[in-house]
mmCIF file of all heavy atoms in Angstrom:
data_model
loop_
_atom_site.group_PDB
_atom_site.id
_atom_site.type_symbol
_atom_site.label_atom_id
_atom_site.label_comp_id
_atom_site.label_asym_id
_atom_site.label_seq_id
_atom_site.Cartn_x
_atom_site.Cartn_y
_atom_site.Cartn_z
ATOM 1 N N PRO A 171 162.993 154.486 98.632
ATOM 2 C CA PRO A 171 162.872 153.399 97.665
ATOM 3 C C PRO A 171 161.748 153.636 96.655
ATOM 4 O O PRO A 171 160.769 154.318 96.950
ATOM 5 C CB PRO A 171 162.528 152.195 98.545
ATOM 6 C CG PRO A 171 161.775 152.798 99.687
ATOM 7 C CD PRO A 171 162.428 154.143 99.922
ATOM 8 N N LEU A 172 161.915 153.063 95.481
ATOM 9 C CA LEU A 172 160.808 152.971 94.535
ATOM 10 C C LEU A 172 159.919 151.851 95.051
ATOM 11 O O LEU A 172 160.415 150.856 95.581
ATOM 12 C CB LEU A 172 161.312 152.636 93.142
ATOM 13 C CG LEU A 172 162.226 153.672 92.495
ATOM 14 C CD1 LEU A 172 162.758 153.148 91.171
ATOM 15 C CD2 LEU A 172 161.489 154.975 92.287
ATOM 16 N N SER A 173 158.617 152.009 94.931
ATOM 17 C CA SER A 173 157.727 150.968 95.439
ATOM 18 C C SER A 173 156.430 150.955 94.654
ATOM 19 O O SER A 173 156.072 151.929 94.008
ATOM 20 C CB SER A 173 157.432 151.190 96.925
ATOM 21 O OG SER A 173 156.729 152.394 97.126
ATOM 22 N N ASP A 174 155.740 149.816 94.739
ATOM 23 C CA ASP A 174 154.427 149.696 94.113
ATOM 24 C C ASP A 174 153.338 150.305 94.985
ATOM 25 O O ASP A 174 152.308 150.737 94.486
ATOM 26 C CB ASP A 174 154.108 148.225 93.828
ATOM 27 C CG ASP A 174 155.033 147.611 92.796
ATOM 28 O OD1 ASP A 174 155.381 148.316 91.822
ATOM 29 O OD2 ASP A 174 155.418 146.445 92.955
ATOM 30 N N SER A 175 153.545 150.290 96.309
ATOM 31 C CA SER A 175 152.565 150.867 97.234
ATOM 32 C C SER A 175 153.234 151.113 98.582
ATOM 33 O O SER A 175 154.361 150.701 98.818
ATOM 34 C CB SER A 175 151.358 149.932 97.396
ATOM 35 O OG SER A 175 151.754 148.717 98.009
ATOM 36 N N GLU A 176 152.494 151.783 99.450
ATOM 37 C CA GLU A 176 152.987 152.053 100.797
ATOM 38 C C GLU A 176 151.809 152.150 101.752
ATOM 39 O O GLU A 176 150.665 152.337 101.329
ATOM 40 C CB GLU A 176 153.827 153.324 100.833
ATOM 41 C CG GLU A 176 153.152 154.553 100.288
ATOM 42 C CD GLU A 176 154.104 155.724 100.132
ATOM 43 O OE1 GLU A 176 154.976 155.673 99.267
ATOM 44 O OE2 GLU A 176 153.935 156.695 100.901
ATOM 45 N N CYS A 177 152.085 151.990 103.044
ATOM 46 C CA CYS A 177 151.046 152.152 104.057
ATOM 47 C C CYS A 177 151.672 152.560 105.381
ATOM 48 O O CYS A 177 152.869 152.372 105.610
ATOM 49 C CB CYS A 177 150.200 150.892 104.209
ATOM 50 S SG CYS A 177 150.982 149.544 105.097
ATOM 51 N N ASP A 178 150.861 153.114 106.258
ATOM 52 C CA ASP A 178 151.296 153.567 107.567
ATOM 53 C C ASP A 178 151.436 152.371 108.513
ATOM 54 O O ASP A 178 150.520 151.554 108.624
ATOM 55 C CB ASP A 178 150.275 154.564 108.129
ATOM 56 C CG ASP A 178 150.719 155.158 109.442
ATOM 57 O OD1 ASP A 178 150.644 154.441 110.461
ATOM 58 O OD2 ASP A 178 151.148 156.315 109.444
ATOM 59 N N VAL A 179 152.584 152.257 109.181
ATOM 60 C CA VAL A 179 152.798 151.197 110.173
ATOM 61 C C VAL A 179 153.269 151.792 111.500
ATOM 62 O O VAL A 179 153.982 151.143 112.269
ATOM 63 C CB VAL A 179 153.795 150.123 109.653
ATOM 64 C CG1 VAL A 179 153.202 149.349 108.492
ATOM 65 C CG2 VAL A 179 155.133 150.737 109.273
ATOM 66 N N THR A 180 152.837 153.021 111.771
ATOM 67 C CA THR A 180 153.250 153.712 112.986
ATOM 68 C C THR A 180 152.870 152.930 114.236
ATOM 69 O O THR A 180 153.654 152.838 115.183
ATOM 70 C CB THR A 180 152.639 155.128 113.019
ATOM 71 O OG1 THR A 180 153.085 155.842 111.864
ATOM 72 C CG2 THR A 180 153.036 155.876 114.279
ATOM 73 N N GLU A 181 151.696 152.341 114.242
ATOM 74 C CA GLU A 181 151.250 151.575 115.416
ATOM 75 C C GLU A 181 152.195 150.413 115.702
ATOM 76 O O GLU A 181 152.573 150.170 116.850
ATOM 77 C CB GLU A 181 149.825 151.059 115.193
ATOM 78 C CG GLU A 181 149.250 150.335 116.379
ATOM 79 C CD GLU A 181 147.816 149.908 116.149
ATOM 80 O OE1 GLU A 181 147.032 150.708 115.621
ATOM 81 O OE2 GLU A 181 147.495 148.767 116.508
ATOM 82 N N ASN A 182 152.593 149.685 114.642
ATOM 83 C CA ASN A 182 153.530 148.576 114.820
ATOM 84 C C ASN A 182 154.878 149.079 115.347
ATOM 85 O O ASN A 182 155.503 148.449 116.193
ATOM 86 C CB ASN A 182 153.749 147.833 113.499
ATOM 87 C CG ASN A 182 152.466 147.278 112.950
ATOM 88 O OD1 ASN A 182 151.815 147.929 112.154
ATOM 89 N ND2 ASN A 182 152.092 146.092 113.388
ATOM 90 N N TRP A 183 155.311 150.226 114.827
ATOM 91 C CA TRP A 183 156.563 150.826 115.276
ATOM 92 C C TRP A 183 156.493 151.180 116.758
ATOM 93 O O TRP A 183 157.420 150.892 117.516
ATOM 94 C CB TRP A 183 156.869 152.067 114.441
ATOM 95 C CG TRP A 183 158.002 152.877 114.981
ATOM 96 C CD1 TRP A 183 157.920 154.054 115.661
ATOM 97 C CD2 TRP A 183 159.394 152.566 114.916
ATOM 98 N NE1 TRP A 183 159.167 154.499 116.011
ATOM 99 C CE2 TRP A 183 160.097 153.591 115.567
ATOM 100 C CE3 TRP A 183 160.111 151.509 114.368
ATOM 101 C CZ2 TRP A 183 161.472 153.609 115.681
ATOM 102 C CZ3 TRP A 183 161.491 151.527 114.486
ATOM 103 C CH2 TRP A 183 162.157 152.557 115.133
ATOM 104 N N CYS A 184 155.402 151.805 117.181
ATOM 105 C CA CYS A 184 155.250 152.200 118.585
ATOM 106 C C CYS A 184 155.305 150.992 119.509
ATOM 107 O O CYS A 184 155.932 151.039 120.566
ATOM 108 C CB CYS A 184 153.947 152.956 118.795
ATOM 109 S SG CYS A 184 153.926 154.588 118.045
ATOM 110 N N GLU A 185 154.658 149.902 119.107
ATOM 111 C CA GLU A 185 154.665 148.683 119.918
ATOM 112 C C GLU A 185 156.062 148.093 120.026
ATOM 113 O O GLU A 185 156.465 147.599 121.073
ATOM 114 C CB GLU A 185 153.704 147.651 119.334
ATOM 115 C CG GLU A 185 152.246 148.025 119.492
ATOM 116 C CD GLU A 185 151.313 147.063 118.775
ATOM 117 O OE1 GLU A 185 151.767 146.005 118.313
ATOM 118 O OE2 GLU A 185 150.116 147.387 118.678
ATOM 119 N N ALA A 186 156.830 148.118 118.925
ATOM 120 C CA ALA A 186 158.163 147.514 118.912
ATOM 121 C C ALA A 186 159.216 148.377 119.592
ATOM 122 O O ALA A 186 160.118 147.863 120.246
ATOM 123 C CB ALA A 186 158.589 147.218 117.472
ATOM 124 N N SER A 187 159.101 149.696 119.454
ATOM 125 C CA SER A 187 160.174 150.584 119.915
ATOM 126 C C SER A 187 159.832 151.405 121.142
ATOM 127 O O SER A 187 160.728 151.889 121.828
ATOM 128 C CB SER A 187 160.557 151.550 118.790
ATOM 129 O OG SER A 187 159.518 152.493 118.591
ATOM 130 N N GLY A 188 158.546 151.609 121.392
ATOM 131 C CA GLY A 188 158.134 152.498 122.471
ATOM 132 C C GLY A 188 158.214 153.965 122.081
ATOM 133 O O GLY A 188 157.877 154.839 122.867
ATOM 134 N N ASP A 189 158.643 154.259 120.869
ATOM 135 C CA ASP A 189 158.785 155.626 120.358
ATOM 136 C C ASP A 189 157.453 156.053 119.750
ATOM 137 O O ASP A 189 157.081 155.587 118.679
ATOM 138 C CB ASP A 189 159.897 155.671 119.310
ATOM 139 C CG ASP A 189 160.092 157.052 118.714
ATOM 140 O OD1 ASP A 189 159.396 158.003 119.128
ATOM 141 O OD2 ASP A 189 160.944 157.173 117.823
ATOM 142 N N GLU A 190 156.745 156.948 120.440
ATOM 143 C CA GLU A 190 155.429 157.376 119.969
ATOM 144 C C GLU A 190 155.474 158.686 119.187
ATOM 145 O O GLU A 190 154.433 159.181 118.759
ATOM 146 C CB GLU A 190 154.479 157.486 121.154
ATOM 147 C CG GLU A 190 154.235 156.154 121.835
ATOM 148 C CD GLU A 190 153.249 156.236 122.967
ATOM 149 O OE1 GLU A 190 152.673 157.322 123.201
ATOM 150 O OE2 GLU A 190 153.048 155.209 123.635
ATOM 151 N N ASP A 191 156.649 159.243 118.997
ATOM 152 C CA ASP A 191 156.769 160.527 118.306
ATOM 153 C C ASP A 191 156.999 160.391 116.809
ATOM 154 O O ASP A 191 156.889 161.371 116.083
ATOM 155 C CB ASP A 191 157.924 161.345 118.904
ATOM 156 C CG ASP A 191 157.671 161.704 120.360
ATOM 157 O OD1 ASP A 191 156.492 161.900 120.724
ATOM 158 O OD2 ASP A 191 158.648 161.765 121.127
ATOM 159 N N ALA A 192 157.320 159.218 116.338
ATOM 160 C CA ALA A 192 157.660 159.024 114.929
ATOM 161 C C ALA A 192 156.440 158.625 114.098
ATOM 162 O O ALA A 192 155.499 158.016 114.600
ATOM 163 C CB ALA A 192 158.733 157.957 114.792
ATOM 164 N N GLN A 193 156.476 158.985 112.832
ATOM 165 C CA GLN A 193 155.506 158.527 111.834
ATOM 166 C C GLN A 193 156.261 157.528 110.953
ATOM 167 O O GLN A 193 157.329 157.851 110.430
ATOM 168 C CB GLN A 193 155.016 159.708 110.993
ATOM 169 C CG GLN A 193 154.015 159.364 109.932
ATOM 170 C CD GLN A 193 152.660 159.009 110.538
ATOM 171 O OE1 GLN A 193 152.271 159.521 111.578
ATOM 172 N NE2 GLN A 193 151.948 158.121 109.884
ATOM 173 N N VAL A 194 155.729 156.309 110.792
ATOM 174 C CA VAL A 194 156.464 155.266 110.078
ATOM 175 C C VAL A 194 155.635 154.750 108.906
ATOM 176 O O VAL A 194 154.464 154.410 109.048
ATOM 177 C CB VAL A 194 156.842 154.105 111.022
ATOM 178 C CG1 VAL A 194 157.678 153.060 110.302
ATOM 179 C CG2 VAL A 194 157.596 154.642 112.238
ATOM 180 N N THR A 195 156.270 154.702 107.746
ATOM 181 C CA THR A 195 155.642 154.242 106.505
ATOM 182 C C THR A 195 156.388 153.023 105.998
ATOM 183 O O THR A 195 157.619 153.003 106.001
ATOM 184 C CB THR A 195 155.693 155.353 105.430
ATOM 185 O OG1 THR A 195 155.056 156.519 105.945
ATOM 186 C CG2 THR A 195 155.009 154.912 104.149
ATOM 187 N N ALA A 196 155.640 152.012 105.564
ATOM 188 C CA ALA A 196 156.233 150.817 104.952
ATOM 189 C C ALA A 196 156.055 150.894 103.441
ATOM 190 O O ALA A 196 155.010 151.340 102.958
ATOM 191 C CB ALA A 196 155.567 149.560 105.489
ATOM 192 N N PHE A 197 157.073 150.456 102.710
ATOM 193 C CA PHE A 197 157.052 150.429 101.249
ATOM 194 C C PHE A 197 157.025 148.982 100.783
ATOM 195 O O PHE A 197 157.702 148.123 101.366
ATOM 196 C CB PHE A 197 158.297 151.136 100.692
ATOM 197 C CG PHE A 197 158.350 152.592 101.068
ATOM 198 C CD1 PHE A 197 158.947 152.993 102.249
ATOM 199 C CD2 PHE A 197 157.795 153.548 100.235
ATOM 200 C CE1 PHE A 197 158.993 154.334 102.604
ATOM 201 C CE2 PHE A 197 157.827 154.893 100.586
ATOM 202 C CZ PHE A 197 158.426 155.285 101.773
ATOM 203 N N PHE A 198 156.254 148.737 99.720
ATOM 204 C CA PHE A 198 156.044 147.371 99.250
ATOM 205 C C PHE A 198 156.268 147.245 97.746
ATOM 206 O O PHE A 198 155.922 148.147 96.986
ATOM 207 C CB PHE A 198 154.598 146.926 99.520
ATOM 208 C CG PHE A 198 154.221 146.941 100.969
ATOM 209 C CD1 PHE A 198 153.720 148.088 101.559
ATOM 210 C CD2 PHE A 198 154.355 145.809 101.747
ATOM 211 C CE1 PHE A 198 153.361 148.111 102.890
ATOM 212 C CE2 PHE A 198 154.000 145.820 103.086
ATOM 213 C CZ PHE A 198 153.504 146.974 103.662
ATOM 214 N N ASP A 199 156.808 146.098 97.346
ATOM 215 C CA ASP A 199 156.780 145.664 95.950
ATOM 216 C C ASP A 199 155.656 144.654 95.846
ATOM 217 O O ASP A 199 155.335 143.966 96.825
ATOM 218 C CB ASP A 199 158.102 145.002 95.539
ATOM 219 C CG ASP A 199 159.201 146.016 95.261
ATOM 220 O OD1 ASP A 199 158.874 147.205 95.054
ATOM 221 O OD2 ASP A 199 160.371 145.614 95.251
ATOM 222 N N HIS A 200 155.060 144.554 94.674
ATOM 223 C CA HIS A 200 153.987 143.583 94.451
ATOM 224 C C HIS A 200 154.481 142.510 93.498
ATOM 225 O O HIS A 200 155.225 142.794 92.565
ATOM 226 C CB HIS A 200 152.764 144.249 93.808
ATOM 227 C CG HIS A 200 152.163 145.324 94.648
ATOM 228 N ND1 HIS A 200 151.086 146.055 94.233
ATOM 229 C CD2 HIS A 200 152.474 145.802 95.893
ATOM 230 C CE1 HIS A 200 150.760 146.934 95.166
ATOM 231 N NE2 HIS A 200 151.594 146.797 96.173
ATOM 232 N N ARG A 201 154.050 141.274 93.737
ATOM 233 C CA ARG A 201 154.307 140.200 92.772
ATOM 234 C C ARG A 201 153.012 139.430 92.571
ATOM 235 O O ARG A 201 152.221 139.256 93.504
ATOM 236 C CB ARG A 201 155.448 139.308 93.212
ATOM 237 C CG ARG A 201 155.218 138.492 94.437
ATOM 238 C CD ARG A 201 156.427 137.585 94.745
ATOM 239 N NE ARG A 201 156.419 137.136 96.102
ATOM 240 C CZ ARG A 201 155.704 136.109 96.559
ATOM 241 N NH1 ARG A 201 154.955 135.420 95.743
ATOM 242 N NH2 ARG A 201 155.742 135.771 97.821
ATOM 243 N N ARG A 202 152.796 139.006 91.334
ATOM 244 C CA ARG A 202 151.576 138.258 90.997
ATOM 245 C C ARG A 202 151.653 136.868 91.606
ATOM 246 O O ARG A 202 152.702 136.231 91.615
ATOM 247 C CB ARG A 202 151.406 138.145 89.488
ATOM 248 C CG ARG A 202 151.225 139.468 88.781
ATOM 249 C CD ARG A 202 149.993 140.212 89.191
ATOM 250 N NE ARG A 202 148.804 139.637 88.601
ATOM 251 C CZ ARG A 202 147.571 139.964 88.935
ATOM 252 N NH1 ARG A 202 147.364 140.867 89.858
ATOM 253 N NH2 ARG A 202 146.543 139.418 88.350
ATOM 254 N N GLU A 203 150.516 136.410 92.126
ATOM 255 C CA GLU A 203 150.469 135.119 92.794
ATOM 256 C C GLU A 203 149.059 134.551 92.694
ATOM 257 O O GLU A 203 148.085 135.298 92.635
ATOM 258 C CB GLU A 203 150.859 135.319 94.261
ATOM 259 C CG GLU A 203 150.969 134.059 95.050
ATOM 260 C CD GLU A 203 151.512 134.327 96.450
ATOM 261 O OE1 GLU A 203 152.689 134.719 96.565
ATOM 262 O OE2 GLU A 203 150.740 134.150 97.403
ATOM 263 N N GLU A 204 148.970 133.232 92.698
ATOM 264 C CA GLU A 204 147.660 132.577 92.752
ATOM 265 C C GLU A 204 147.180 132.556 94.193
ATOM 266 O O GLU A 204 147.944 132.266 95.108
ATOM 267 C CB GLU A 204 147.756 131.128 92.259
ATOM 268 C CG GLU A 204 147.743 130.974 90.775
ATOM 269 C CD GLU A 204 147.647 129.512 90.370
ATOM 270 O OE1 GLU A 204 147.428 128.633 91.230
ATOM 271 O OE2 GLU A 204 147.811 129.258 89.173
ATOM 272 N N PHE A 205 145.913 132.876 94.375
ATOM 273 C CA PHE A 205 145.291 132.813 95.690
ATOM 274 C C PHE A 205 144.143 131.825 95.618
ATOM 275 O O PHE A 205 143.493 131.680 94.584
ATOM 276 C CB PHE A 205 144.734 134.182 96.105
ATOM 277 C CG PHE A 205 145.790 135.195 96.430
ATOM 278 C CD1 PHE A 205 146.303 136.026 95.444
ATOM 279 C CD2 PHE A 205 146.269 135.310 97.716
ATOM 280 C CE1 PHE A 205 147.266 136.966 95.743
ATOM 281 C CE2 PHE A 205 147.234 136.249 98.031
ATOM 282 C CZ PHE A 205 147.737 137.070 97.040
ATOM 283 N N GLU A 206 143.885 131.177 96.741
ATOM 284 C CA GLU A 206 142.770 130.236 96.822
ATOM 285 C C GLU A 206 141.656 130.897 97.608
ATOM 286 O O GLU A 206 141.842 131.301 98.757
ATOM 287 C CB GLU A 206 143.227 128.958 97.521
ATOM 288 C CG GLU A 206 142.270 127.815 97.383
ATOM 289 C CD GLU A 206 142.865 126.541 97.951
ATOM 290 O OE1 GLU A 206 143.861 126.059 97.417
ATOM 291 O OE2 GLU A 206 142.302 126.052 98.947
ATOM 292 N N GLY A 207 140.495 131.040 96.978
ATOM 293 C CA GLY A 207 139.370 131.693 97.621
ATOM 294 C C GLY A 207 138.404 130.696 98.223
ATOM 295 O O GLY A 207 138.679 129.500 98.333
ATOM 296 N N ALA A 208 137.243 131.191 98.592
ATOM 297 C CA ALA A 208 136.190 130.338 99.149
ATOM 298 C C ALA A 208 135.763 129.316 98.104
ATOM 299 O O ALA A 208 135.685 129.612 96.918
ATOM 300 C CB ALA A 208 135.009 131.189 99.583
ATOM 301 N N GLY A 209 135.494 128.120 98.525
ATOM 302 C CA GLY A 209 135.067 127.078 97.599
ATOM 303 C C GLY A 209 136.202 126.593 96.707
ATOM 304 O O GLY A 209 135.970 126.049 95.640
ATOM 305 N N LEU A 210 137.437 126.814 97.151
ATOM 306 C CA LEU A 210 138.633 126.400 96.421
ATOM 307 C C LEU A 210 138.782 127.066 95.065
ATOM 308 O O LEU A 210 139.472 126.567 94.190
ATOM 309 C CB LEU A 210 138.684 124.871 96.285
ATOM 310 C CG LEU A 210 138.674 124.097 97.609
ATOM 311 C CD1 LEU A 210 138.698 122.599 97.336
ATOM 312 C CD2 LEU A 210 139.836 124.497 98.501
ATOM 313 N N ASP A 211 138.125 128.215 94.853
ATOM 314 C CA ASP A 211 138.329 128.985 93.634
ATOM 315 C C ASP A 211 139.749 129.541 93.649
ATOM 316 O O ASP A 211 140.230 130.014 94.670
ATOM 317 C CB ASP A 211 137.347 130.160 93.547
ATOM 318 C CG ASP A 211 135.907 129.691 93.402
ATOM 319 O OD1 ASP A 211 135.697 128.590 92.859
ATOM 320 O OD2 ASP A 211 135.014 130.430 93.839
ATOM 321 N N VAL A 212 140.396 129.488 92.503
ATOM 322 C CA VAL A 212 141.751 130.022 92.387
ATOM 323 C C VAL A 212 141.700 131.278 91.539
ATOM 324 O O VAL A 212 141.030 131.323 90.513
ATOM 325 C CB VAL A 212 142.698 128.977 91.765
ATOM 326 C CG1 VAL A 212 144.088 129.561 91.551
ATOM 327 C CG2 VAL A 212 142.777 127.731 92.646
ATOM 328 N N PHE A 213 142.396 132.332 91.971
ATOM 329 C CA PHE A 213 142.443 133.570 91.215
ATOM 330 C C PHE A 213 143.819 134.205 91.391
ATOM 331 O O PHE A 213 144.568 133.866 92.306
ATOM 332 C CB PHE A 213 141.337 134.526 91.660
ATOM 333 C CG PHE A 213 141.416 134.910 93.109
ATOM 334 C CD1 PHE A 213 142.091 136.051 93.499
ATOM 335 C CD2 PHE A 213 140.826 134.117 94.091
ATOM 336 C CE1 PHE A 213 142.172 136.398 94.836
ATOM 337 C CE2 PHE A 213 140.917 134.464 95.425
ATOM 338 C CZ PHE A 213 141.588 135.603 95.795
ATOM 339 N N TRP A 214 144.151 135.116 90.498
ATOM 340 C CA TRP A 214 145.432 135.818 90.554
ATOM 341 C C TRP A 214 145.263 137.139 91.281
ATOM 342 O O TRP A 214 144.255 137.822 91.128
ATOM 343 C CB TRP A 214 145.964 136.072 89.145
ATOM 344 C CG TRP A 214 146.519 134.836 88.532
ATOM 345 C CD1 TRP A 214 145.845 133.944 87.746
ATOM 346 C CD2 TRP A 214 147.834 134.314 88.682
ATOM 347 N NE1 TRP A 214 146.663 132.910 87.393
ATOM 348 C CE2 TRP A 214 147.899 133.114 87.947
ATOM 349 C CE3 TRP A 214 148.962 134.746 89.357
ATOM 350 C CZ2 TRP A 214 149.056 132.343 87.881
ATOM 351 C CZ3 TRP A 214 150.114 133.977 89.280
ATOM 352 C CH2 TRP A 214 150.146 132.797 88.548
ATOM 353 N N GLY A 215 146.241 137.493 92.068
ATOM 354 C CA GLY A 215 146.259 138.768 92.763
ATOM 355 C C GLY A 215 147.688 139.187 93.017
ATOM 356 O O GLY A 215 148.626 138.532 92.574
ATOM 357 N N ASP A 216 147.851 140.280 93.719
ATOM 358 C CA ASP A 216 149.179 140.789 94.041
ATOM 359 C C ASP A 216 149.527 140.480 95.486
ATOM 360 O O ASP A 216 148.708 140.669 96.385
ATOM 361 C CB ASP A 216 149.249 142.311 93.842
ATOM 362 C CG ASP A 216 149.194 142.706 92.382
ATOM 363 O OD1 ASP A 216 149.807 141.995 91.565
ATOM 364 O OD2 ASP A 216 148.548 143.711 92.064
ATOM 365 N N ARG A 217 150.735 140.002 95.705
ATOM 366 C CA ARG A 217 151.266 139.762 97.050
ATOM 367 C C ARG A 217 152.183 140.932 97.388
ATOM 368 O O ARG A 217 153.089 141.255 96.631
ATOM 369 C CB ARG A 217 152.041 138.453 97.084
ATOM 370 C CG ARG A 217 152.884 138.202 98.325
ATOM 371 C CD ARG A 217 152.121 137.832 99.548
ATOM 372 N NE ARG A 217 151.349 136.635 99.356
ATOM 373 C CZ ARG A 217 150.374 136.265 100.179
ATOM 374 N NH1 ARG A 217 150.079 137.010 101.229
ATOM 375 N NH2 ARG A 217 149.697 135.173 99.958
#
């Protein structure tokens, strides 16, 4: 897939499947979203 980013999720895969021999990568799309920070500050970031 085309993606905005990716990360390793091998640990999650091992827990779910019991298969410790595989390397697993997750692919992500990003969308802009408002986030609420400390003190109720609102800012834009990527989800």
Side-chain angles (χ1 to χ4, degrees):
L172 297 175
S173 64
D174 294 322
S175 65
E176 55 190 69
C177 76
D178 184 285
V179 293
T180 301
E181 184 177 316
N182 301 93
W183 170 256
C184 290
E185 290 174 10
S187 71
D189 179 2
E190 296 183 4
D191 296 327
Q193 180 71 31
V194 183
T195 303
F197 297 88
F198 300 88
D199 282 342
H200 299 178
R201 66 178 161 82
R202 297 297 284 170
E203 185 174 293
E204 279 188 9
F205 289 90
E206 193 173 295
L210 302 179
D211 294 332
V212 176
F213 60 93
W214 285 92
D216 290 321
R217 168 74 59 195

